Amino acid sequence: MTDVDAIVLAGGRSSRFGSDKARLALDGVTMVDRTVAAARLVDPRHVVVVADPELPVAGPVVRTRERPAYAGPAAGVLAGLRAVPGPQTDDGWVLLLGCDTPRVAEAVRTLLAHDVAPDADGVLLVHEGRPQWLLGRYRRGPLLRAADRLGDPTDRALRHLLGDLHLERSTPPDDRAADFDTPADLYRLRPDARPTRTR
């Protein structure tokens, strides 16, 4: 894919999980590094990580943080868009990912394989009937215009930013699009998981 930027949101409180999900390691790889590696599957111009500046991230990435901190996912997306280096034209794509999908690489491959219609603004994955806004590939122009329309993004849900876009939806036949909010969610997805936490 050409002319694509990736934005990884890794700055949430993870209050339901009890610790920072981005720092959680599965199979020896933190969720943020797992997600950044998945983002690189699209051969992006830039990978922007929106997170605490103290969060360790492997490899070259652009770092930023929503202001104020913990202002919510819509604020994180807008911070990521502002941090992309260079001009942003209407052409091209933006990949949006969170840090709570164990099978994120498979999810990204599914997004890549989806042939988006010319009149659609992008595609997102669906799990158990729920749109996974942070497993989505969005046309840059409509996304930038949605960001302009939103106004103050503080404490706004992603559906307020993305819900009016004309998006195609893809429902995988398995749990590759499933995320986790609690330890019980994680163990349901990965019964064999032996998670560790990094500082």
Side-chain angles (χ1 to χ4, degrees):
M1 182 185 300
T2 60
D3 193 9
V4 57
D5 296 305
I7 297 174
V8 175
L9 297 195
R13 294 184 187 274
S14 302
S15 56
R16 293 179 61 194
F17 193 75
S19 62
D20 188 351
K21 290 186 286 187
R23 296 174 184 264
L24 179 76
L26 291 179
D27 305 323
V29 181
T30 63
M31 287 303 301
V32 66
D33 285 346
R34 182 182 293 262
T35 307
V36 167
R40 297 198 189 284
L41 293 173
V42 304
D43 193 22
R45 300 185 311 165
H46 309 284
V47 177
V48 179
V49 176
V50 184
D52 182 334
E54 301 300 317
L55 176 69
V57 181
V61 297
V62 178
R63 303 289 299 258
T64 192
R65 186 70 194 265
E66 74 276 15
R67 293 287 183 269
Y70 306 117
V77 171
L78 266 62
L81 290 171
R82 288 193 295 268
V84 173
Q88 296 193 62
T89 65
D90 279 3
D91 297 328
W93 298 86
V94 177
L95 179 71
L96 296 183
L97 299 175
C99 280
D100 54 4
T101 303
R103 298 176 64 181
V104 62
E106 294 167 86
V108 169
R109 290 189 183 98
T110 301
L111 290 170
L112 278 172
H114 187 93
D115 188 16
V116 181
D119 63 343
D121 295 330
V123 57
L124 58 78
L125 300 189
V126 174
H127 179 67
E128 295 182 344
R130 184 165 56 94
Q132 301 289 64
W133 304 108
L134 293 180
L135 290 174
R137 179 162 65 94
Y138 303 89
R139 295 192 192 276
R140 186 182 293 120
L143 178 58
L144 291 172
R145 289 188 286 276
D148 288 341
R149 290 193 300 269
L150 184 66
D152 183 1
T154 303
D155 296 329
R156 303 292 297 278
L158 286 171
R159 68 179 181 277
H160 297 139
L161 171 63
L162 304 171
D164 288 337
L165 297 179
H166 173 41
L167 299 173
E168 297 180 354
R169 301 188 178 202
S170 175
T171 303
D174 53 27
D175 64 3
R176 75 188 63 182
D179 58 3
F180 63 91
D181 291 319
T182 67
D185 292 338
L186 174 61
Y187 286 116
R188 185 169 59 253
L189 293 172
R190 286 284 306 269
D192 62 332
R194 297 293 183 270
T196 58
R197 292 174 176 81
T198 61
R199 292 194 173 190

